Amino acid sequence: MEKMKKIAVLTSGGDAPGMNAAIRAVVRAGIANKLDVYGVLRGYKGLISNEFIKLKSTDVSKIIQTGGTILGTARSPEFREKEGRTKAFENLKANKIDGLVVIGGDGSFAGASLISREHNFPVIGIPGTIDNDLYGTDYTIGYDTALNNVVDAVDKIRDTASSHDRVFFVEVMGREAGFIALRSGIACGAEAILIPELDGQVDKLMTFLADQGKKKKSSIIMVAEGKKEGNTLEIARLVESKFPELDVRVSILGHIQRGGSPTAYDRVTASRMGVAAVDALLNDQRSIMVGIADNDITHVPLNKTVKLHKTVNPDLLDIIDLLI
Ligand code: ADP
């Protein structure tokens, strides 16, 4: 196998706070190992349109504390097609790139796994998504920051909920998975948590509201956007119709969840994963994700991260049964 000389890094899919810390770590670890490091602009889109820029150590100064991604990110329908990925591979070869680091979520990894297999090209994935819904890693970059953003917002909503005796439905991100709703709900002391992984939660909520009767009128109900038993507004309307005495409000947190400065945890995790990704390329790994399990770096085949689904931690489900 030829010695690795040049590597490239890109960010793809939804942006997540801490992606910059990961880019910085890849660039600096690469340079420390005498590699040339290139950034690809706007994810797979830039890979296909040949937008490579050489990155020096100073190009990644003072970005560890910033949200978003300095390389930009995009969605690329072309990359879903074999021809698009072949064009991307040709650009990698033309730029003499020996290995690629992809920072993104499960969609990005599906593409990464395909280009790696189709062209026998080394690609290492770094999990970057606020949703934390990637198999094979306890944490994804951006999740901790998103959780803290949610907790911050809900603490503020709680003030008004308590003052006015209101029931607030707070919708958070997570189309397929309820990781954000579950963990932030526990952190905020929510009175109920509705997530796609659990059935029968709406019935449980109705029982809870009926039981609490006249005792307590303010509550926070955390709802993951992908809840199966109707969307947040529908569930809120149902509650309103059954309990007309309650003052029901809905707050959809939206994109504030993914913005802002990454937490210390996300910065450190991103730094560890960036270094591990370069290390993996130098050790001839070809199609893996670097993840975190029990606080250690792990290597998981990319195709496994795509095919398998991460499940919510049963301990946390037990906790909500006891504390809520
Ligand atoms: P995320 O990585 O955050 O899950 P997306 O699902 O939007 O974000 O995926 C990002 C990009 O990855 C897509 O725009 C597309 O170029 C590529 N991609 C996603 N799914 C596939 C797939 N099944 N095959 C090939 N490429 C894919």
Side-chain angles (χ1 to χ4, degrees):
M1 202 166 290
E2 278 193 32
K3 202 167 165 284
M4 188 129 329
K5 294 194 190 86
K6 274 191 187 184
I7 63 169
V9 56
L10 62 80
T11 47
S12 169
D15 66 307
M19 280 182 160
N20 282 332
I23 295 167
R24 171 181 178 269
V26 170
V27 171
R28 296 221 165 139
I31 292 170
N33 282 286
K34 313 225 170 331
L35 298 171
D36 283 340
V37 186
Y38 285 74
V40 182
L41 302 181
R42 296 180 301 122
Y44 293 140
K45 218 170 196 171
L47 204 54
I48 291 174
S49 54
N50 201 17
E51 294 178 74
F52 289 71
I53 50 165
K54 189 166 180 189
L55 294 170
K56 303 184 298 297
S57 185
T58 49
D59 292 327
V60 292
S61 295
K62 301 183 185 68
I63 64 167
I64 195 165
Q65 72 273 36
T66 59
T69 157
I70 59 158
L71 294 175
T73 183
R75 297 203 152 94
S76 166
E78 252 188 296
F79 197 80
R80 289 176 181 271
E81 309 300 326
K82 199 162 193 251
E83 302 78 63
R85 294 191 294 273
T86 301
K87 181 91 189 50
F89 171 69
E90 281 164 3
N91 287 335
L92 286 164
K93 284 283 105 184
N95 286 285
K96 299 194 166 42
I97 304 293
D98 303 308
L100 175 67
V101 177
V102 171
I103 306 168
D106 59 346
S108 302
F109 286 3
S113 175
L114 285 171
I115 193 174
S116 175
R117 260 187 296 143
E118 286 163 358
H119 299 283
N120 191 24
F121 190 79
V123 182
I124 308 296
I126 294 181
T129 160
I130 62 161
D131 293 330
N132 202 34
D133 57 348
L134 265 169
Y135 176 87
T137 187
D138 293 344
Y139 277 96
T140 59
I141 297 168
Y143 176 51
D144 189 60
T145 306
L147 283 177
N148 282 285
N149 285 340
V150 171
V151 169
D152 220 44
V154 174
D155 285 350
K156 288 171 182 142
I157 291 171
R158 173 76 81 181
D159 289 345
T160 193
S162 309
S163 305
H164 289 272
D165 282 342
R166 284 177 182 155
V167 174
F168 260 93
F169 284 79
V170 181
E171 182 183 287
V172 296
M173 284 184 173
R175 248 169 287 151
E176 315 285 333
F179 293 99
I180 294 179
L182 180 56
R183 197 168 267 266
S184 65
I186 291 170
C188 296
E191 276 71 23
I193 301 174
L194 311 180
I195 56 174
E197 291 85 346
L198 292 178
D199 292 322
Q201 293 297 292
V202 173
D203 286 346
K204 248 179 142 172
L205 173 64
M206 296 300 176
T207 312
F208 162 77
L209 290 171
D211 285 351
Q212 93 176 347
K214 292 202 166 39
K215 279 187 291 204
K216 189 180 173 190
K217 291 274 191 255
S218 87
S219 310
I220 298 287
I221 320 290
M222 296 294 299
V223 191
E225 62 184 336
K227 184 80 205 80
K228 281 191 224 93
E229 298 159 84
N231 67 36
T232 310
L233 282 171
E234 286 162 356
I235 300 170
R237 278 198 202 110
L238 190 68
V239 166
E240 236 170 4
S241 66
K242 289 216 168 175
F243 303 96
E245 74 280 13
L246 294 180
D247 187 0
V248 177
R249 302 295 162 108
V250 174
S251 182
I252 295 172
L253 294 190
H255 287 85
I256 61 158
Q257 290 167 81
R258 63 193 326 134
S261 183
T263 58
Y265 188 86
D266 271 332
R267 297 181 199 191
V268 175
T269 305
S271 301
R272 289 180 76 189
M273 288 177 173
V275 170
V278 172
D279 197 50
L281 280 175
L282 290 169
N283 285 295
D284 302 330
Q285 296 289 343
R286 298 191 83 73
S287 187
I288 56 137
M289 171 191 80
V290 290
I292 294 270
D294 298 331
N295 206 26
D296 279 329
I297 292 286
T298 51
H299 289 180
V300 185
L302 275 178
N303 64 351
K304 230 174 157 179
T305 70
V306 177
K307 278 192 210 135
L308 299 177
H309 283 285
K310 181 162 157 186
T311 50
V312 287
N313 186 338
D315 288 358
L316 294 187
L317 297 179
D318 290 347
I319 284 180
I320 62 171
D321 274 345
L322 285 173
L323 302 186
I324 283 182

